[in-house]
Amino acid sequence: DAGVIQSPRHEVTEMGQEVTLRCKPISGHDYLFWYRQTMMRGLELLIYFNNNVPIDDSGMPEDRFSAKMPNASFSTLKIQPSEPRDSAVYFCASSLRTRGRPQHFGDGTRLSIL
Amino acid sequence: AQKVTQAQTEISVVEKEDVTLDCVYETRDTTYYLFWYKQPPSGELVFLIRRNSFDEQNEISGRYSWNFQKSTSSFNFTITASQVVDSAVYFCALSEATGNQFYFGTGTSLTVIP
């Protein structure tokens, strides 16, 4: 079975540019999570969706960050405008409805803002 | 307050040694779930195991074993006869029945020296 698919794997862009990260969750999973990982702050939950609806976006750092889930098989995380401090690895994860189920992670997008 | 504490930041062992990674958690829920994930140098996050709060049986899977003790709020992970391929960062995580979030520890970086 296909796992969580993220694209791109790597992104290098200049400060001020718009960045869009993409995620396709595992089919049938109704929870989707976006995380950011840095050396300084570890794994941070940015936002999560249930049945395509954002449930908790309290982890989104600033208004420059936005996330959407237009359908059950696709989500985006957008940064506009990007800044060097946004450089990190961004992970998408999905899980089944039942509480206590593991989250399955994509391979991540390594983002570098110059 | 940190819900999951992994006090060991880095551990180095020589191949074939046994190593235990510590995880201490904090929750007021009576129903909760504990997880271990592995992040190898390639960067992906791999789910290893889930335990629920009602099942304190230890589990063994090959060279891996997990010791869950509610009395000490610990969920420790032991690798027997470590191998170089075990080198990775290992994360412990907690999920409470009252929510859908995962609370990750800060991770333990394990290096197995050949």
Side-chain angles (χ1 to χ4, degrees):
Chain A
D1 290 340
V4 176
I5 299 172
Q6 290 186 248
S7 64
R9 288 297 311 276
H10 303 272
E11 174 90 9
V12 181
T13 192
E14 291 191 346
M15 175 179 174
Q17 297 296 307
E18 178 178 292
V19 173
T20 300
L21 311 182
R22 297 172 176 79
C23 175
K24 176 180 169 57
I26 293 173
S27 177
H29 283 190
D30 52 359
Y31 281 88
L32 183 139
F33 304 81
W34 282 101
Y35 289 87
R36 178 172 69 176
Q37 186 179 35
T38 60
M39 288 294 292
M40 290 297 294
R41 302 172 71 93
L43 269 166
E44 301 175 274
L45 176 65
L46 300 178
I47 185 171
Y48 76 91
F49 296 83
N50 175 216
N51 290 324
N52 314 337
V53 176
I55 302 301
D56 184 351
D57 66 353
S58 60
M60 295 285 263
E62 302 171 30
D63 291 346
R64 297 184 297 106
F65 285 69
S66 62
K68 294 181 179 179
M69 192 164 184
N71 57 63
S73 58
F74 184 64
S75 177
T76 60
L77 178 67
K78 190 171 292 188
I79 309 172
Q80 166 64 16
S82 58
E83 296 183 4
R85 60 194 167 121
D86 301 330
S87 298
V89 180
Y90 290 81
F91 286 101
C92 176
S94 70
S95 70
L96 280 171
R97 186 167 188 258
T98 306
R99 287 209 170 91
R101 289 299 184 106
Q103 293 182 13
H104 296 274
F105 285 76
D107 288 342
T109 294
R110 185 172 295 275
L111 177 63
S112 297
I113 308 297
L114 306 177
Chain B
Q2 192 78 354
K3 283 184 176 281
V4 177
T5 301
Q6 295 181 257
Q8 304 151 308
T9 305
E10 296 182 0
I11 300 176
S12 291
V13 297
V14 177
E15 199 171 20
K16 297 184 183 177
E17 285 185 351
D18 298 348
V19 58
T20 295
L21 311 182
D22 298 334
C23 173
V24 175
Y25 62 91
E26 180 181 335
T27 180
R28 292 183 178 182
D29 285 14
T30 55
T31 301
Y32 53 89
Y33 306 88
L34 297 162
F35 303 81
W36 276 95
Y37 284 81
K38 175 182 180 180
Q39 186 173 37
S42 49
E44 69 273 23
L45 276 156
V46 179
F47 163 68
L48 295 178
I49 191 172
R50 179 194 81 152
R51 303 298 283 174
N52 72 57
S53 54
F54 297 107
D55 184 359
E56 285 194 73
Q57 283 190 357
N58 293 331
E59 182 155 340
I60 299 174
S61 176
R63 297 183 297 107
Y64 293 174
S65 62
W66 291 268
N67 181 258
F68 176 30
Q69 291 195 336
K70 289 177 74 170
S71 61
T72 56
S73 296
S74 65
F75 185 43
N76 296 337
F77 174 25
T78 297
I79 301 174
T80 304
S82 59
Q83 300 177 0
V84 172
V85 294
D86 296 327
S87 296
V89 179
Y90 291 86
F91 292 93
C92 181
L94 165 73
S95 173
E96 296 168 322
T98 51
N100 293 298
Q101 285 197 30
F102 269 37
Y103 299 95
F104 281 91
T106 51
T108 296
S109 178
L110 173 66
T111 301
V112 180
I113 304 165

